[in-house]
């Protein structure tokens, strides 16, 4: 048995899964959301799939003032489904940590010092690391097993200096840790490995461009299995158009807004929650925006134009960075499910060797699949991501040696 509890704490949520790290099978999963939100109760939805409780589901609205309370809600949900955590033979807990700075290169056993550093790195990721720290401390108090931090930034530690350096004053940048870190590393890593396995080729021989298009979105250039460039930067705000984040914006425009009287917190809310598809078209859900555009809504059409244009911009950039590509890989909620946007992003790129096969692209299917034509010089693939299974795998590998 190699049960790993995976805890993925976001700014106002905790997603969790109980995964057998060796088989990838999950026996429970849940989401605590609206953590710490003034004026609205939190909510937990939990599903246990273990024997004896097959299909047990638990859903409740409850006050969740912080991530410590969110963790307790999770423990209670396991008990309410007849599978109290004490009986689950949990061997390790894998924690997703968004920001590992320049010092965490790989999955790391969490002791007091590592936990303190994760909290301190909250200066670079104020929306994420503090809640993750709370979840880590609550989990360590509850489960006397190894706890492993798996960092979203770690996979990008191979990005060369020329690509991670912002051309601003060096002393200022060094003093404040300002550089490109990159995020979604766990996803880019597992997806690029699965793409290589699907193609039956050694990952070392492949140049891949992975487009992770979910609520958050980022592109990654991967050479021989190593990240060499990525679109998210110092924070997860840079790069592609996302659900509520706009990606690339001239920093001069932000200075302009500050001088025009916007408060720092207002600007923060604008950039993190009020931009992207939500800012342009009024919804962060890609399906809503697509449907509105099809119904003739001009704002939604523009939002999709900007979305696809930005993705193509990064494909072009990464073709130059990699010197060509062997595979272009779509993943995450939008990338895995939306044939229309995949076709828009790849349209007109035949001259680069990217040729989509419309019937393959539109076929409803699960699992890794080819959506390019047989003649396409660049393999165009859809490869589902599974960050939780990957966190479980990496945690278990460290713990089991
Ligand atoms: P997160 O970053 O929160 O993990 P996901 O990867 O789940 O996000 O992606 C969420 C996005 O995926 C939403 O914009 C949603 O509209 C979109 N999405 C989910 N399922 C589908 C689908 N079947 N077709 C099109 N878009 C989808």
């Amino acid at each position: 048995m190699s049960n790993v509890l995976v805890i993925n704490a976001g700014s106002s949520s905790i997603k969790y899964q109980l995964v057998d790290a060796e088989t990838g099978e999950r026996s429970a999963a849940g989401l605590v959301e609206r953590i710490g939100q003034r004026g609205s109760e939190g909510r937990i939805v939990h599903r246990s799939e273990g024997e004896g409780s097959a299909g047990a589901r638990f859903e409740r609205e409850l006050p969740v003032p912080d991530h410590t309370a969110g963790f307790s809600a999770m423990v209670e949900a396991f008990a309410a489904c007849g599978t109290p955590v004490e009986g689950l033979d949990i061997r390790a807990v894998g924690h997703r940590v968004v920001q590992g700075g320049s010092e965490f290169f790989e999955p790391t056993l969490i002791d007091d010092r590592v936990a303190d550093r994760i909290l301190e790195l909250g200066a670079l990721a104020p929306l994420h690391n503090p809640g993750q720290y709370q979840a880590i401390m609550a989990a360590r108090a509850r489960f006397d097993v190894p706890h492993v931090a798996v960092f979203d930034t770690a996979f990008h530690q191979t990005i060369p200096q020329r690509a991670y350096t912002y051309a601003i004053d060096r002393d200022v940048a060094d003093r404040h840790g300002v550089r490109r870190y990159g995020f979604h590393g766990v996803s880019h890593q597992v997806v690029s490995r699965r793409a290589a396995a699907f193609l039956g080729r050694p990952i070392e021989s492949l140049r891949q461009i992975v487009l992770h298009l979910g609520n958050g979105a980022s592109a990654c250039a991967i050479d021989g299995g190593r990240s060499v460039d990525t679109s998210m930067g110092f924070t997860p705000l840079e790069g592609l158009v996302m659900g509520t984040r706009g990606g690339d914006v001239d920093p001069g425009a932000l200075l302009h807004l500050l001088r025009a009287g916007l408060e720092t917190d207002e600007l923060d809310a604008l950039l993190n929650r009020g931009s992207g598809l939500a800012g342009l078209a009024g919804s962060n859900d890609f399906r809503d925006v697509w449907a509105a555009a099809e119904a003739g809504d001009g704002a939604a059409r523009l939002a999709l134009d900007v979305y696809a244009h930005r993705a193509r911009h990064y494909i072009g950039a990464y073709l130059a960075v990699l010197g060509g590509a062997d595979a272009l890989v779509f993943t995450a909620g939008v990338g895995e499910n939306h044939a229309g946007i995949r076709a828009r992003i790849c349209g007109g790129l035949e001259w680069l060797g990217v040729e989509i096969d419309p019937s393959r692209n539109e076929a409803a299917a699960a699992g890794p699949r080819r959506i390019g034509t047989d003649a396409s010089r660049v393999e165009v693939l859809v490869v589902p991501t599974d960050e939780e299974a990957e966190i479980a795998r990496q945690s278990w590998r460290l713990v089991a040696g």
Side-chain angles (χ1 to χ4, degrees), residues 7 75 125 127 133-134 156 165 216 218 225 244 267 300 302 327-328 331 338 391 394 401:
I7 297 186
V75 171
L127 292 179
Y133 173 80
Q134 279 187 5
H156 300 301
T165 302
S218 68
T244 63
L267 186 55
L302 175 63
L328 172 62
T331 193
H338 209 284
I391 291 168
Q394 293 192 14

Side-chain angles (χ1 to χ4, degrees), residues 214-251:
N215 212 0
S218 68
C220 189
I222 301 170
D223 194 359
R226 294 156 63 91
S227 170
V228 293
D229 208 348
T230 194
S231 59
M232 283 178 168
F234 176 64
T235 72
L237 279 177
E238 198 180 355
L240 300 177
V241 176
M242 315 183 207
T244 63
R245 290 168 263 167
D248 297 332
V249 182
D250 179 353

Side-chain angles (χ1 to χ4, degrees), residues 8 15 96 184 212-217 243 245 277 284-288 290 307 331-339 385 387:
N8 179 354
K15 285 190 215 164
R96 179 190 190 193
H184 284 152
H212 175 116
L213 308 177
N215 212 0
R245 290 168 263 167
L277 297 175
N284 69 325
D285 192 302
F286 194 86
R287 289 164 289 198
D288 294 347
W290 189 271
Y307 189 98
T331 193
V334 177
E336 290 168 30
N337 294 303
H338 209 284
T385 187
E387 289 166 291

